């Protein structure tokens, strides 16, 4: 009986090793993260730094779609540059974008994890060399956060930062500080926050993974960037059903919903976590006065 | 002497019958087709933008793009305007948007008329493109997971976001037919409402490689699937969509494919790996034109049935095969050229061909 269990365990380990998802580049430098505000909506993938380096599949797969910038004359205009899409077991599609034109293997169909798909380039909507990776889950009809769902995250010692928490009333935005006096009533809470790129000394912002709002010790709202799904032909954050404009006030300014402020002392706390689990917290006690 | 008369008689009768036969039952020979060079334009950088004339009417102008130069010409093939492509250009016979690769909320897309004069600007992120012969303007998210339509007056009419890449798009005056990487097909009306949704079955893997919708919205087609690849074809009458017809394609493409109706909606043209197919919409009979290489450009004549297409030969950066033919594979011209013909367009009785920064205008004649 024990031997039987060991054999099953061995095969499960073997299957996991073969089909486990991995990073597409050997050097792991994250330039931007999933659901980051890219100026036109949620970023549907992650960007990794590089140029002319070989790109490897996140798992063994079959090439199902390939686009070469300047060579496909009948496609819609793609900002993804030259890109290729692999189909994997379990209905997962991985998309590798901004590749160097002519480095794609258009006639190769099956790829193992150690077989290069092409080279990192700077084609499409980009100003420098990088790889954009987008993961689609066809069966669940979702776009997945590659880091949280598939690929193990690498070492990250830098915590996210919270430069400010704000309340918004009638288009007026006020930054919170201790002993601030506001009138009672409803107000929207905005949080400015970002994570920091690990390899840079200067500030290079990337989006955090999770933001939680507490009011008087009670958890009020939480945003976490796990996956996007489709609702009435709109991209929404899975679970929360929030659209891009529901979440972003500005590039690093997040909307955390509305609070009812009652007369007295109000305790506002925000916790922000990155993909590696580094968490930062900011809190304020404000005075709420009667109108 | 008598012998000679006996011989001459039957000979004369035979000759007479022969002549009568040709008079009474004339044999129709194939029509003759000729292309005569009419004009040549060198698209040098020196005179880019040259030729602008504010007084000229910009309504009857015809767009062209050869390599990284685009512009407009009149009916006679005279160039009215030309400009260098920045990163890409959305081009139609009514105007253009020349744009750079980085498009975000801080950039504006500027719509110009066919003489290069300002028409409208759009402070919207994404890449623009025209559809429905330049009558509709769309802006696609740079990651191809969303689309919006804007008017020439600058208003947004609708937008939609998806959880898959857009891999096929076609629209007419009323509808937009969109295909996706996940194998789904959707039809959106002018208000942005999804009126039809289908994931065609029958292939091991579902991917859409191209979509086409006819001008009257009565016929739709899509290329989809791997193992096997299919042409999906269906009709609509009033509000009802008929049961789709699936035609199996022998050679598989795994890249965006050309699929479009001819100008008169009588035929559907679509490419597969080694053929350019013509499907007769009424009889559903398909003609396959065997070709080698990648289709670069194709155009169909508005009145006659002429189709002009060029294919880049495999393993060659410049050699192209030029075909001019009619449905039913009536090939008028098949020529291998040592140049990369990257633009072909019919304008009335002229054929415009573009290659190596040159625009060549041919007079077309069919006798």
């Amino acid at each position: 009986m024990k031997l039987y269990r060991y054999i099953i365990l061995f095969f499960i380990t073997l299957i996991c090793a073969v089909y486990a998802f991995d990073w597409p580049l050997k050097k792991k430098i994250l330039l931007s993260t999933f659901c980051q505000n890219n100026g036109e909506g949620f970023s549907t993938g992650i960007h990794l730094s590089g140029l002319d380096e070989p790109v490897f599949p996140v798992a063994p797969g079959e090439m199902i779609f390939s686009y070469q910038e300047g060579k496909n004359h009948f496609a819609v205009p793609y900002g993804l540059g030259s890109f290729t899409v692999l189909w994997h077991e379990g209905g997962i599609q991985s998309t590798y974008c901004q590749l160097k034109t002519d480095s794609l293997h258009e006639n190769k169909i099956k790829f193992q994890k150690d077989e290069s798909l092409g080279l990192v380039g700077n084609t499409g909507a980009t100003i420098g060399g990088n790889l954009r990776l987008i993961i689609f889950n066809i069966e669940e009809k979702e776009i997945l956060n590659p880091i949280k769902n598939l690929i193990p995250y690498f070492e990250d010692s830098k915590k996210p930062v919270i430069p400010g928490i704000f309340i918004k009333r009638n288009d007026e935005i006020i930054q919170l500080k201790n002993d601030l006096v506001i009138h009672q009533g409803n107000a929207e809470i905005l949080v400015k926050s970002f994570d920091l790129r690990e390899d840079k000394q200067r500030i290079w912002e990337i989006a955090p993974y999770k933001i939680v709002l507490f009011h008087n010790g009670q958890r009020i709202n939480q945003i976490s960037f796990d996956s996007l799904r489709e609702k009435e032909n709109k991209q929404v954050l899975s679970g929360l059903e929030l659209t891009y404009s529901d979440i972003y006030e500005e590039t690093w300014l997040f909307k955390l919903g509305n609070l009812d402020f009652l007369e007295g002392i109000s305790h506002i706390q925000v916790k922000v976590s990155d993909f590696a689990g580094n968490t930062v917290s900011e809190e304020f006690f404000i005075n709420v006065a009667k109108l | 002497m008598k012998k000679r008369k006996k011989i001459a008689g039957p000979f004369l009768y035979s000759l007479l019958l022969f002549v009568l036969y040709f008079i009474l039952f004339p044999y129709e020979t194939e029509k003759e087709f000729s292309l005569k060079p009419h004009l040549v334009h060198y698209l040098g950088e020196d005179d880019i933008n040259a030729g602008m004339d504010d007084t000229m009417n910009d309504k009857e102008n015809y767009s062209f793009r050869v390599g990284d130069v685009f512009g407009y010409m009149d009916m006679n093939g005279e160039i009215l305007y030309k400009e260098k492509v920045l990163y890409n250009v959305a081009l139609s016979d009514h105007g253009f948007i020349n744009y750079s690769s980085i498009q975000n909320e801080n950039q504006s897309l500027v719509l110009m008329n066919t003489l290069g004069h300002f028409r409208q600007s759009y402070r919207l992120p994404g890449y623009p493109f025209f559809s429905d012969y330049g009558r509709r303007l769309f802006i696609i998210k740079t990651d191809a997971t969303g689309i919006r339509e804007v008017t020439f007056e600058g208003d947004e009419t609708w937008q939609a976001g998806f959880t898959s890449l857009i891999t096929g798009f076609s629209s007419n005056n009323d509808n937009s037919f969109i295909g996706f990487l996940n194998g789904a097909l959707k039809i959106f009306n002018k208000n942005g409402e999804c009126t039809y949704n289908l994931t065609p079955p029958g292939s091991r893997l579902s991917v859409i490689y191209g979509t086409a919708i006819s001008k009257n919205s009565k016929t739709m087609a899509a290329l989809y699937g791997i193992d096997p690849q299919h042409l999906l074809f269906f009709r609509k009458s009033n509000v009802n969509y008929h049961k789709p017809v699936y035609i199996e394609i022998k050679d598989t493409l795994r890249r965006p494919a050309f699929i479009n109706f001819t100008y008169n909606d009588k035929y559907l043209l679509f490419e597969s790996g080694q053929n350019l197919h013509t499907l007769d919409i009424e009889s559903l009979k398909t003609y396959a034109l065997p070709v080698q290489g990648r289709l670069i450009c194709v155009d169909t004549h508005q009145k006659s049935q002429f189709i002009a297409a060029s294919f880049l030969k495999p393993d060659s950066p410049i050699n192209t095969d030029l075909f001019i033919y009619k449905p039913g594979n009536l090939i008028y011209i098949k020529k291998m050229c040592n140049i990369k013909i990257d633009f072909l367009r019919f304008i009335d009785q002229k054929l415009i061909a573009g290659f190596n920064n040159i625009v060549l205008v041919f007079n077309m004649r069919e006798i």
Side-chain angles (χ1 to χ4, degrees), chain B residues 51-270:
Chain B
M52 266 200 292
D53 182 348
D54 290 2
T55 61
M56 293 178 89
N57 173 15
D58 72 330
K59 298 238 165 103
E60 288 291 320
N61 299 332
Y62 299 87
S63 62
F64 67 87
R65 178 178 175 172
V66 179
D68 60 355
V69 176
F70 71 94
Y72 291 90
M73 57 178 58
D74 64 15
M75 273 196 85
N76 300 316
E78 294 288 351
I79 289 183
L80 303 169
Y81 182 79
K82 56 187 170 175
E83 188 175 315
K84 202 169 165 63
V85 175
L86 294 172
Y87 168 71
N88 202 356
V89 62
L91 192 60
S92 83
D93 286 353
H94 306 283
F96 67 88
I97 298 175
N98 196 5
Y99 61 95
S100 59
S101 65
I102 302 297
Q103 289 299 327
N104 54 39
E105 64 214 346
N106 301 318
Q107 308 276 330
S108 283
L109 297 165
V110 183
L111 174 66
M112 312 289 268
N113 74 6
T114 62
L115 297 176
H117 300 151
F118 176 85
R119 275 185 73 177
Q120 190 57 255
S121 75
Y122 303 89
R123 208 170 172 82
L124 293 166
Y127 287 176
F129 66 97
F130 292 98
S131 196
D132 187 29
Y133 299 93
R135 288 185 281 263
R136 295 178 73 178
L137 177 59
F138 295 88
I139 298 173
I140 187 169
K141 254 184 94 180
T142 56
D143 67 3
T145 63
I147 197 159
R148 51 163 55 102
E149 182 175 7
V150 291
T151 65
F152 297 123
E153 288 71 45
D155 302 318
E156 180 179 304
T157 51
W158 61 278
Q159 66 164 306
F162 312 104
T163 51
S164 188
L165 297 187
I166 294 171
T167 51
F169 186 93
S170 177
S171 77
N172 58 21
N173 189 41
D174 304 310
N175 294 291
S176 300
F177 186 29
I178 308 180
F180 297 90
L181 184 68
N182 64 6
L185 289 165
K186 292 182 178 188
I187 295 176
F188 288 86
N189 66 15
K190 248 186 157 172
N191 302 320
E193 293 153 351
C194 185
T195 57
Y196 186 78
N197 208 329
L198 171 79
T199 299
S203 297
R204 181 174 61 85
L205 298 173
S206 277
V207 180
I208 306 296
Y209 293 98
T211 58
I213 185 165
S214 64
K215 280 201 287 292
N216 57 10
S217 283
K218 284 189 173 168
T219 325
M220 274 67 66
L223 268 171
Y224 79 94
I226 293 173
D227 294 342
Q229 199 150 85
H230 285 97
L231 174 77
L232 162 79
F233 182 84
F234 60 105
R235 289 194 171 97
K236 187 189 174 192
S237 57
N238 298 325
V239 289
N240 298 319
Y241 290 96
H242 293 201
K243 201 178 168 189
V245 174
Y246 302 96
I247 301 169
E248 200 174 310
I249 311 292
K250 281 177 187 157
D251 38 342
T252 299
L253 279 179
R254 294 179 188 236
R255 58 172 169 79
F258 168 76
I259 177 166
N260 206 356
F261 288 92
T262 54
Y263 195 82
N264 56 15
D265 278 350
K266 280 186 178 171
Y267 298 95
L268 175 77
L269 292 177
F270 64 98

Side-chain angles (χ1 to χ4, degrees), chain A residues 25-43:
Chain A
L25 294 180
K26 289 202 168 130
K27 204 166 69 180
K28 301 160 190 169
I29 300 172
L30 200 59
L31 293 177
S32 76
T33 54
F34 183 73
C35 279
Q36 189 163 313
N37 181 349
N38 64 9
E40 55 174 341
F42 289 125
S43 176

